[in-house]
Amino acid sequence: MSSPDTAQEIGLLPDAAIAKFLTRGMQTGQENPPLVALRKAAAEPEPEPRWFVDPVRDLLDEAMSRFGDRPSRADAWLAPRLHATLRMTRAEAADSRRWNFLAMITAPDYVVWRHKGSEIVPSARFSGPHYTQAFARLWWAAELFRDGHDYRPVEFACHFQDVLNTTMRLDIIDHRPTAQTILRLLEELQHASTSKIGDRVNALSSAVNAAGSTLMYDVFAPDDQMDHDAVQDWVAESAGMPPVPWDRLPEGPDDGKVSERAIGTLLPLFTQLLEEAPLRKRGKHSSDDEEA
């Protein structure tokens, strides 16, 4: 639960405030953020229940309690629940100020717990691109890898840090059949007990992205089953929704599942791309933390 010293609603904190107030002491967890100054720099949100801090703070506290010794394992549990709690459109989620507020005011302790490693939390975990910032990366992982209302693909994707660190950086991942086909191919590799799946994630992502510069995946496998009004209905329902369940998956917006025909069209192509792609050494964005 939020304390009297924290805001009760998730506001909007400009990037400039991060540059001004983020210190090395905060990045190592040795200093607390200057909450009074940060609140003054933040804009107030619209007075809607979906911006209440307490449900998010409760989720983060539970994640830290459940996964205290292995922070990376929290991603698969937290991503779908954070997405289902913070109900918003993609346009709203693209506003970095909301994620800045969560990282600097609502839960800087979570950012340090999850991303400190052995030394210091990179500044991009507090304020950075959607595939790097501590909370944006989880929300967007759920948004990009869910299959309509079904968050099971999100859980699977988040077991592989290379999917979050590499695949989410690609523009082509906005194409839902591409996202689901990549996960389908990874499932096949896992079932075959393939070694070094993380290296194959990176090789596949690079190959699919390179081919996507000349091949139009949405032409070969159109995403024609998406109900765009369903997301707005899902957001509107947030006013009276109970807290998301902790021991079973919540449900996302019922905007339509990806066509099996589209996945079936792309799967042979992606399989061939992976077979022909060289397995490169892990780069700076890769991680050895792969959990099936």
Side-chain angles (χ1 to χ4, degrees):
M1 297 290 287
S2 59
S3 72
D5 294 328
T6 58
Q8 300 304 304
E9 293 181 339
I10 300 167
L12 304 171
L13 184 65
D15 293 343
I18 309 295
K20 181 177 180 180
F21 294 112
L22 183 62
T23 66
R24 183 177 179 85
M26 291 170 56
Q27 290 173 263
T28 60
Q30 296 175 338
E31 295 178 4
N32 293 322
L35 293 179
V36 173
L38 288 168
R39 282 200 207 111
K40 288 181 179 179
E44 294 291 329
E46 294 293 327
E48 298 181 51
R50 63 189 175 127
W51 305 132
F52 287 169
V53 163
D54 282 352
V56 174
R57 185 67 243 193
D58 288 347
L59 277 178
L60 301 179
D61 288 340
E62 178 65 15
M64 289 189 285
S65 175
R66 287 191 178 212
F67 306 100
D69 59 340
R70 292 295 300 273
S72 65
R73 289 187 176 178
D75 292 349
W77 183 86
L78 185 55
R81 292 168 176 84
L82 182 67
H83 186 271
T85 298
L86 282 178
R87 297 192 178 192
M88 56 182 134
T89 64
R90 288 191 175 192
E92 291 173 321
D95 189 339
S96 65
R97 297 176 299 168
R98 182 164 288 110
W99 307 118
N100 293 343
F101 190 99
L102 282 171
M104 291 290 284
I105 296 177
T106 302
D109 57 326
Y110 178 87
V111 181
V112 172
W113 172 79
R114 173 61 185 88
H115 294 290
K116 181 179 178 181
S118 59
E119 297 181 5
I120 188 171
V121 178
S123 60
R125 298 300 189 182
F126 287 92
S127 179
H130 74 278
Y131 48 77
T132 301
Q133 203 273 350
F135 301 109
R137 69 193 284 271
L138 297 176
W139 193 95
W140 279 102
E143 175 65 14
L144 294 171
F145 292 112
R146 65 182 175 85
D147 190 10
H149 69 275
D150 187 358
Y151 284 122
R152 286 177 297 177
V154 179
E155 277 193 318
F156 178 77
C158 289
H159 280 307
F160 301 95
Q161 289 299 304
D162 293 278
V163 171
L164 299 182
N165 296 338
T166 302
T167 311
M168 271 184 56
R169 296 169 179 264
L170 309 179
D171 290 338
I172 56 169
I173 212 65
D174 284 339
H175 181 234
R176 297 197 310 160
T178 292
Q180 293 303 315
T181 303
I182 288 175
L183 295 185
R184 188 70 59 84
L185 183 50
L186 293 181
E187 286 180 344
E188 292 184 358
L189 293 175
Q190 185 185 62
H191 291 156
S193 299
T194 304
S195 63
K196 298 182 178 179
I197 291 184
D199 290 340
R200 286 168 170 77
V201 169
N202 295 328
L204 175 62
S205 299
S206 297
V208 169
N209 194 54
S213 64
T214 54
L215 298 174
M216 299 295 292
Y217 294 138
D218 56 346
V219 173
F220 291 121
D223 187 9
D224 54 6
Q225 297 189 27
M226 193 168 183
D227 180 357
H228 296 282
D229 292 333
V231 173
Q232 295 293 343
D233 294 339
W234 177 74
V235 170
E237 291 170 359
S238 64
M241 70 177 184
V244 298
W246 288 357
D247 295 316
R248 60 177 175 82
L249 282 174
E251 290 192 355
D254 192 12
D255 53 358
K257 296 175 74 70
V258 173
S259 164
E260 284 294 325
R261 177 180 296 178
I263 295 174
T265 298
L266 292 177
L267 190 57
L269 172 61
F270 287 9
T271 300
Q272 180 180 354
L273 290 173
L274 178 59
E275 290 174 350
E276 296 174 352
L279 293 184
R280 300 176 180 177
K281 292 183 179 180
R282 288 172 177 260
K284 64 181 180 179
H285 302 308
S286 297
S287 167
D288 288 327
D289 188 3
E290 285 174 24
E291 291 147 344

